[in-house]
């Protein structure tokens, strides 16, 4: 009797083709509808329930929980979605990955797999090669190639296992109990870095009658734990958010896997009786989905407490720098990166107006009747240091902008990014304008002349009033029909001050350099002009400038 040897290379080629097919499918769907999925993830994850639903849907279509995790990390870092809702997406993604098993079990073991894959490989390759200049047709070709490779790889694995099925004796493993299958599932999945490929291996082994349903389900439980090892290793060098999500993913799969393992045989008996499924392969994929649903039911009531616990972890791994959002977001997801940029631009705006306000307020302490020691303790922080922090923030955001330029963006995204960078530069100009006359403002504060003090109070009052109105306008900007005309009044105010200065100087000669006073006026007006220009670049890229007063 001829003995068949296990063709290891055919089996390995099967795994490779399957994984490559998955990668091609992921890339094609990402290119065709990636923006739509990112928009869906961004807009419809404001509650954990929605997060679970959207996570399951996107993962089922993209067939890639790693890609969904990347999106979640990006939007989490940008502050678009909370950690609690991000966990919900991860829970849903675990359920979405079970769609692969349903497809493979339904088609891969019911048809002639190799023959089934050939049309997809043939037409897909031709589309990809001959329509390379037409992105949609090229991506359809890539999708077809990926689909064909997935099933061709399945055929290779199935054939390699079936040829030696009669020669494999697992009685030795069975003697040790189900624990050995759980560990095998963990180890093999960690090595091949794909729970989907592990499920195909298990389905092939069950189809060849090498393992029973109970052993197959146990291997799947091990695979769910093993797949977290890849994510955990990838998070080792990441920031705090990445480590928290990796820990959430690990906790979910570990707790769920061990919990279901404790009564796996009872669960199999129960589902077999309730659903009356005679095909063990379909029973396996059903149980695979039930395990993920069980995990969701286990964790969902405790998401708030789980979020609080995760937030207390990895606090030392928070990214360094003056930015708050961009340092947490990968530029690989442009929508999230631009959202993070806009939030950090708003942070820059707040820091700029605080810097300007602190320059004017600093003199109030020195004019008070406080004791010398209390004056020292109440002095504001070093204003030069505040300005250097603003410059450092500008450098961080500029470097991030350069990285983002290397990504594929839609025209409106590129326009938005350009507007944000113009906003950033004009904000820094606004801070520099007033920093350059900071020492003159201090001299005016100390001057005893009534006329100097009059203009000091006029300029200071105008600065605060302008910033106050600007803040009010930003808060209600969505209700506004356009740019209010008062933002362009700075030149008129400057001319009024100059005229008033020379008139009053004729009445009462100043014992203070007029050129210094006019320079302070010019720089303060320039600072206010730059603040208003920043708002125009930021908020009015596509709006008409009309009077709303």
């Amino acid at each position: 009797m001829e003995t068949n040897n296990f063709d290891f290379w055919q089996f390995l080629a099967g795994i490779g083709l399957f994984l490559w097919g998955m990668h091609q499918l992921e890339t094609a769907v990402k290119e065709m509808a990636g923006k739509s999925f990112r928009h869906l993830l961004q807009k419809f994850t404001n509650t954990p329930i929605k997060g679970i639903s959207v996570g399951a849907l996107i993962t089922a279509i993209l067939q890639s929980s790693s890609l969904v995790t990347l999106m979640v990390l990006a939007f989490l870092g940008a502050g678009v979605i909370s950690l609690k809702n991000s966990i919900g997406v991860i829970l849903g993604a675990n359920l979405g990955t079970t769609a692969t098993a349903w497809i493979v079990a339904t088609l891969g073991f019911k048809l002639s797999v190799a023959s089934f894959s050939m049309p997809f490989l043939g037409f897909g390759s031709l589309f990809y090669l001959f329509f390379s200049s037409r992105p949609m047709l090229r991506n359809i070709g890539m999708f077809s190639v990926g689909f064909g490779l997935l099933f061709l790889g399945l055929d290779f694995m199935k054939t390699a296992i079936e040829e030696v099925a009669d020669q494999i004796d697992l009685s030795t493993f069975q003697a040790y109990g189900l624990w050995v299958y759980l560990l095998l599932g963990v180890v093999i999945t960690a090595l091949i870095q794909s729970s989907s490929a592990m499920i195909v291996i298990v389905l092939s082994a069950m189809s060849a009658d090498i393992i029973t349903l109970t052993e197959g389900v146990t291997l799947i439980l091990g695979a769910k734990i093993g797949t977290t090892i890849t994510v955990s290793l990838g998070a080792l060098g990441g920031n705090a958010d990445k480590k928290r999500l990796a820990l959430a993913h690990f906790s979910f799969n570990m707790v769920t896997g061990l919990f279901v393992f404790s009564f796996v045989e009872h669960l199999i008996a129960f589902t077999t009786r309730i659903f009356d499924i005679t095909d063990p392969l379909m029973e396996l994929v059903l149980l695979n989905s039930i395990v993920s649903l069980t995990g969701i039911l286990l964790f969902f009531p405790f998401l708030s407490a789980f979020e609080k616990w995760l937030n207390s972890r990895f606090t030392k791994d928070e990214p360094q720098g003056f930015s708050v959002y961009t340092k947490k977001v990968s530029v690989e997801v442009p929508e999230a990166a631009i959202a993070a940029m806009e939030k950090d631009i708003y942070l820059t705006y707040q820091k700029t107006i605080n810097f300007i306000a602190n320059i004017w307020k600093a003199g109030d302490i020195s004019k008070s009747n406080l004791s010398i020691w209390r004056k020292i303790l109440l002095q504001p922080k070093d204003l030069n240091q505040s300005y250097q922090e603003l410059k450092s923030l500008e450098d961080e955001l500029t470097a991030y902008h350069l990285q983002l330029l290397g990504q594929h963006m839609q025209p409106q995204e590129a326009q938005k990014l350009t507007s944000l960078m113009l906003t950033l530069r004009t904000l820094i100009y606004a801070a520099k304008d007033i920093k350059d006359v900071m020492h003159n403002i201090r001299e005016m504060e100390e001057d005893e002349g009534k006329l100097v003090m009059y203009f000091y109070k006029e300029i200071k009052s105008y600065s605060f009033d302008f910033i106050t109105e600007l803040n009010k306008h930003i808060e209600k900007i969505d209700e506004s029909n356009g740019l209010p005309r008062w933002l362009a009044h700075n030149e008129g105010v400057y001319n009024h001050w100059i005229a008033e200065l020379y008139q009053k100087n004729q009445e009462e000669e100043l014992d203070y350099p007029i050129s210094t006073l006019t320079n302070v006026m010019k720089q303060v007006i320039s600072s206010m002009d730059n603040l208003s220009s920043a708002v125009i670049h930021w908020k009015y890229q596509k709006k008409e400038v009309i009077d709303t007063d």
Side-chain angles (χ1 to χ4, degrees):
M1 181 176 176
E2 184 180 350
T3 302
N4 293 324
N5 294 319
F6 175 58
D7 192 338
F8 171 76
W9 295 115
Q10 183 184 24
F11 180 75
L12 186 63
I15 294 176
L17 287 172
F18 183 86
L19 293 176
W20 183 246
M22 292 285 291
H23 174 74
Q24 293 296 95
L25 279 173
E26 173 189 325
T27 305
V29 177
K30 179 182 176 183
E31 289 292 325
M32 288 189 288
K35 181 175 175 62
S36 300
F37 288 130
R38 290 194 292 269
H39 180 75
L40 188 68
L41 188 62
Q42 180 181 357
K43 296 294 182 183
F44 299 101
T45 51
N46 56 331
T47 66
I49 284 285
K50 288 182 181 178
I52 291 170
S53 304
V54 170
L57 174 66
I58 295 176
T59 308
I61 297 172
L62 287 178
Q63 291 297 298
S64 174
S65 58
S66 59
L67 181 58
V68 175
T69 302
L70 174 65
M71 293 183 194
V72 170
L73 276 170
F75 288 120
L76 173 63
V80 174
I81 57 178
S82 67
L83 179 60
K84 180 179 178 180
N85 297 338
S86 299
I87 298 168
V89 177
I90 296 300
L91 298 185
N94 275 273
L95 179 60
T97 54
T98 65
T100 305
W102 283 102
I103 295 169
V104 170
T106 304
L107 299 176
F109 292 88
K110 311 297 181 185
L111 304 169
S112 174
V113 183
S115 301
F116 177 73
S117 65
M118 293 306 167
F120 290 97
L121 290 171
F123 284 111
S125 300
L126 293 175
F127 268 62
Y128 186 79
L129 292 173
F130 291 107
F131 296 105
S132 57
S133 60
R134 301 180 65 178
M136 180 56 70
L137 292 176
R138 185 196 64 204
N139 287 321
I140 290 173
M142 188 189 300
F143 180 89
S144 298
V145 168
F147 202 72
L149 287 174
L150 188 147
F151 282 98
L152 186 62
L154 168 61
D155 183 70
F156 277 28
M157 284 188 279
K158 191 173 74 166
T159 302
I161 290 176
E162 285 175 348
E163 286 182 353
V164 293
D166 295 337
Q167 302 166 34
I168 297 176
D169 182 10
L170 293 179
S171 58
T172 305
F173 291 112
Q174 292 167 348
Y176 291 102
L178 291 176
W179 277 102
V180 72
Y181 292 97
L182 186 72
L183 293 175
L184 274 173
V186 173
V187 172
I188 296 173
T189 306
L191 289 174
I192 63 176
Q193 299 191 14
S194 172
S195 58
S196 296
M198 183 60 190
I199 289 171
V200 172
I201 293 171
V202 172
L203 287 169
S204 300
M206 284 184 60
S207 178
D209 292 326
I210 294 176
I211 58 174
T212 65
L213 176 60
T214 303
E215 292 158 355
V217 174
T218 307
L219 283 167
I220 295 300
L221 294 176
K224 288 185 177 294
I225 298 171
T227 195
T228 65
I229 294 175
T230 304
V231 177
S232 300
L233 289 175
L236 287 179
N239 59 30
D241 283 339
K242 192 170 186 178
K243 290 183 177 180
R244 285 167 187 149
L245 269 187
L247 179 57
H249 188 236
F250 174 78
S251 301
F252 173 75
N253 283 293
M254 177 64 80
V255 170
T256 303
L258 294 179
F259 175 74
V260 174
F261 178 73
S262 64
F263 61 93
V264 63
E265 291 175 318
H266 298 290
L267 178 63
I268 292 171
F270 175 76
T271 54
T272 302
R273 185 173 64 254
I274 294 296
F275 296 100
D276 193 27
I277 297 175
T278 56
D279 185 348
L281 300 186
M282 298 307 295
E283 177 71 11
L284 179 74
V285 295
L286 173 65
L287 284 163
N288 184 35
S289 298
I290 288 175
V291 168
S292 295
L293 279 171
T294 301
I296 292 172
L297 294 174
L298 277 175
F299 275 77
F300 186 77
F302 309 104
L303 280 185
S304 296
F306 193 37
E307 177 191 34
K308 185 177 180 181
W309 180 75
L310 287 170
N311 276 325
S312 67
R313 308 291 99 187
F314 309 114
T315 52
K316 293 182 180 178
D317 296 306
E318 292 287 352
Q320 300 300 308
F322 293 100
S323 62
V324 174
Y325 300 98
T326 49
K327 64 187 177 185
K328 299 179 180 180
V329 180
S330 168
V331 294
E332 294 177 31
V333 185
E335 291 95 330
I338 292 172
M341 273 284 288
E342 184 159 22
K343 289 199 170 189
D344 273 334
I345 291 295
Y346 183 57
L347 173 68
T348 308
Y349 169 79
Q350 291 177 315
K351 284 181 174 290
T352 301
I353 61 175
N354 286 340
F355 172 73
I356 294 171
N358 282 330
I359 285 177
W360 288 110
K361 288 181 178 179
D364 294 343
I365 295 175
S366 62
K367 290 291 183 181
S368 67
N369 294 321
L370 297 174
S371 68
I372 185 65
W373 293 111
R374 291 190 68 193
K375 286 180 186 179
I376 292 171
L377 291 173
L378 289 174
Q379 281 293 330
K381 64 188 294 186
D382 185 351
L383 292 171
N384 285 316
Q385 180 186 342
S386 297
Y387 180 73
Q388 289 306 316
E389 287 179 6
L390 269 173
K391 292 292 291 180
S392 296
L393 180 56
E394 180 193 20
D395 291 342
E396 286 181 36
L397 296 179
T398 301
Y400 189 79
H401 160 254
L402 292 174
Q403 293 179 36
L404 192 49
L405 287 177
Q407 302 297 312
H408 175 70
M409 288 183 286
Q410 300 296 321
Q412 62 269 27
E413 293 172 340
Q415 181 186 11
K416 177 72 172 178
L417 184 59
T418 300
S419 299
L420 290 176
M421 288 308 297
L422 287 170
T423 302
L424 176 65
R425 292 192 185 102
T426 47
L427 285 174
I428 300 302
Y429 292 156
K432 185 179 186 304
D433 284 333
I434 204 160
K435 173 196 173 284
D436 289 344
V437 292
M438 184 168 60
H439 61 290
N440 298 128
I441 291 172
R442 292 292 169 270
E443 291 173 357
M444 292 174 67
E445 288 169 355
E446 300 296 333
D447 196 277
E448 300 295 333
K450 292 183 179 179
L451 200 53
V452 173
M453 186 52 59
Y454 167 78
F455 279 109
Y456 167 79
K457 290 179 179 179
E458 277 285 304
I459 299 169
K460 176 180 177 180
S461 176
Y462 181 77
S463 299
F464 275 94
D465 289 345
F466 188 90
I467 291 172
T468 300
E469 289 300 318
L470 201 58
N471 284 337
K472 288 179 181 177
H473 182 68
I474 289 173
E475 289 174 2
K476 64 178 182 179
I477 207 158
D478 291 335
E479 303 167 9
S480 173
N481 293 320
L483 185 65
R485 199 177 294 280
W486 59 263
L487 281 178
H489 282 176
N490 287 318
E491 185 178 353
V493 172
Y494 174 71
N495 292 333
H496 171 74
W497 283 346
I498 293 296
E500 190 176 19
L501 172 62
Y502 280 97
Q503 180 185 350
K504 289 184 179 293
N505 185 50
Q506 290 177 353
E507 300 170 359
E508 177 187 345
E509 188 172 345
L510 274 171
D511 187 19
Y512 189 84
I514 290 181
S515 60
T516 300
L517 197 51
T518 56
N519 188 48
V520 171
M521 293 174 180
K522 183 185 75 171
Q523 292 295 104
V524 169
I525 289 298
S526 178
S527 179
M528 298 302 108
D529 272 338
N530 279 316
L531 280 179
S532 58
S533 294
V535 172
I536 292 169
H537 292 312
W538 179 16
K539 297 291 186 180
Y540 290 95
Q541 305 101 320
K542 296 182 180 179
K543 296 179 185 289
E544 294 182 1
V545 179
I546 60 174
D547 188 8
T548 58
D549 291 338

